[in-house]
Amino acid sequence: MLLFSARRLHKPSRVPDTIANCKLREVYRVSSSLDSHTSQTWGGRFNEATDAFVQEFTASYSFDHILAHYDVQGSRAHADMLAACGILSSADLEDIHRGLDQVLTEIDADEFTWQVELEDVHMNIEARLTEIIGDAGKRLHTGRSRNDQVATDIRLYLRAAIASIRGQLTRLRTGLIDQAECYADTVMPGFTHLQVAQPVTFGHHLLAWNEMLARDDGRLADCAERMNLSPLGAAALAGTSYPINRHMTAEALGFSAPTENSLDSVSDRDFAIEFTAAAAITMMHLSRMAEEMIIWTSAQFAFVDLPDRFCTGSSIMPQKKNPDVPELIRGKAGRVQGHLVALITLMKGQPLAYNKDNQEDKEPLFDAVKTLHDSLLAFADLVPAMKAKPEAMRRAASLGHPTATDLADYLVRKGVAFRDAHEVVGTAVGMAETKGIDVGELSLEDLQALSALIEHDVFEVLTLEGSVAARDHIGGTAPKQVRAAVQRARAKLNTA
Ligand code: ARG
């Protein structure tokens, strides 16, 4: 049930495109002023109908309708518990299940009439349920409030969302690890300051991305575990006077336990913030990967080729093939970062317990879920199709004296102190620059003029292959180590 995925998300039939749209506002004013006083579920203590604009302004059904399945799931568990505890008759319970079935069928078929007077997903569903089954529908809300209801719904939604996101993360990591194995021997330049530093293998570079994503997966798993507690039964803020059984609903909904404190239960949105923080970090990682792909596909680098299906052309420059997918993902990282700031600021300074501010948690959270999910999906499809161009990588790795450090290490092995070796190699680089060649291309004579300790075997360490093979320890770039790291990464993926 991918309710947060764009492709499955259906709009309710009466969603205003924008509140600023005056025409729509007029429509709402007319339709809602007819009977809003009587149709609102809390209308009893009010003497005048809510202002039509205020109704639109305070309503959330246009975005929280995606919680519908979770809302019904929570309602079913709540009703079962009420019946088991003798608070609801079995006839009412049967009607409630039957009515909720019909409500969901209508919602899924896009035949449900969402009403702005009914504010949110919870009241829209309850009102329709009551329309279908009569008074039993009104009894469903016994011992519960929208405050614990919405807190439960979001947790159920986010739990499913995290599971699906982790699925995409696993697909992406599987692709990265497979590619790393395939390119374990492929030499490319390693950069610091985006200047050629030392040669590395492409497999090693791809496994660096996998490490970032492995930490992201750990953060998501951690967040999912901490939030898997049931707020249901906290009611409005203080609990309820009915003899409910919170353990029963927690278990029925797959939560590990009920939450401890009713005030905290209805006001806590840490889980949304934690998730969005993990999402923002993951998107930051994706943006780093995206940036490298963008650089690598430029004509100046030409390290990789992205399949045409992930790129677009230019309407004016026929030669262009733009890496749109990585560019968009790089851009989308910004909006998830924004959502994190929005959510943490939303909660700052809020007094206990529930405040209407909390309704503002949904749009940033939903968008963070969808953005992260879809970005991972796109990269999970793209990464296995990415083709390296080993000759271009090799050519670039030979520029900028990438084996200079290897020459210094060689001298250290011959007994020279590292700082002195650094000095000698600096002179060698200067000499090579003057000659317009790479330090690895200097003659033995030239090198021996700088240090008598240098012998013919120096040329073994000055090759790109010699350089990468020498980094032969855990975490190093040697092809042998990359292959071992691939095995460990796969094992970790399979046990996660
Ligand atoms: N739509 C509301 C929200 O998202 C549901 C809870 C409303 N509770 C209330 N007491 N007004 O937060």
Side-chain angles (χ1 to χ4, degrees), residues 82-83 86-94 139:
L82 289 180
I87 306 166
L88 194 72
S89 73
S90 52
D92 281 351
L93 179 66
E94 227 171 84
R139 285 193 274 273

Side-chain angles (χ1 to χ4, degrees), residues 170-217:
T170 300
R171 278 185 63 224
L172 172 53
R173 289 173 61 202
T174 305
L176 279 175
I177 296 167
D178 290 350
Q179 288 278 54
E181 187 170 45
C182 171
Y183 294 117
D185 296 286
T186 307
V187 173
M188 71 181 288
F191 299 90
T192 60
H193 313 267
L194 201 55
Q195 313 287 319
V196 171
Q198 289 171 357
V200 294
T201 51
F202 188 40
H204 194 54
H205 195 115
L206 295 173
L207 286 182
W209 289 357
N210 176 58
E211 285 304 304
M212 300 176 193
L213 299 175
R215 290 192 294 275
D216 294 330
D217 188 60

Side-chain angles (χ1 to χ4, degrees), residues 42 58-61 63-64 67 119-122 145-148 150 154 236 269 354-362:
W42 37 257
T58 54
S60 57
Y61 75 94
F63 47 86
D64 69 16
L67 294 174
E119 200 177 313
D120 56 22
V121 62
H122 322 291
S145 147
R146 271 187 299 154
N147 297 352
D148 59 341
V150 70
I154 310 173
R269 293 294 182 272
Y354 175 85
N355 299 287
K356 183 75 172 180
D357 312 39
N358 287 5
Q359 185 165 289
E360 285 290 304
D361 61 358
K362 291 172 197 60

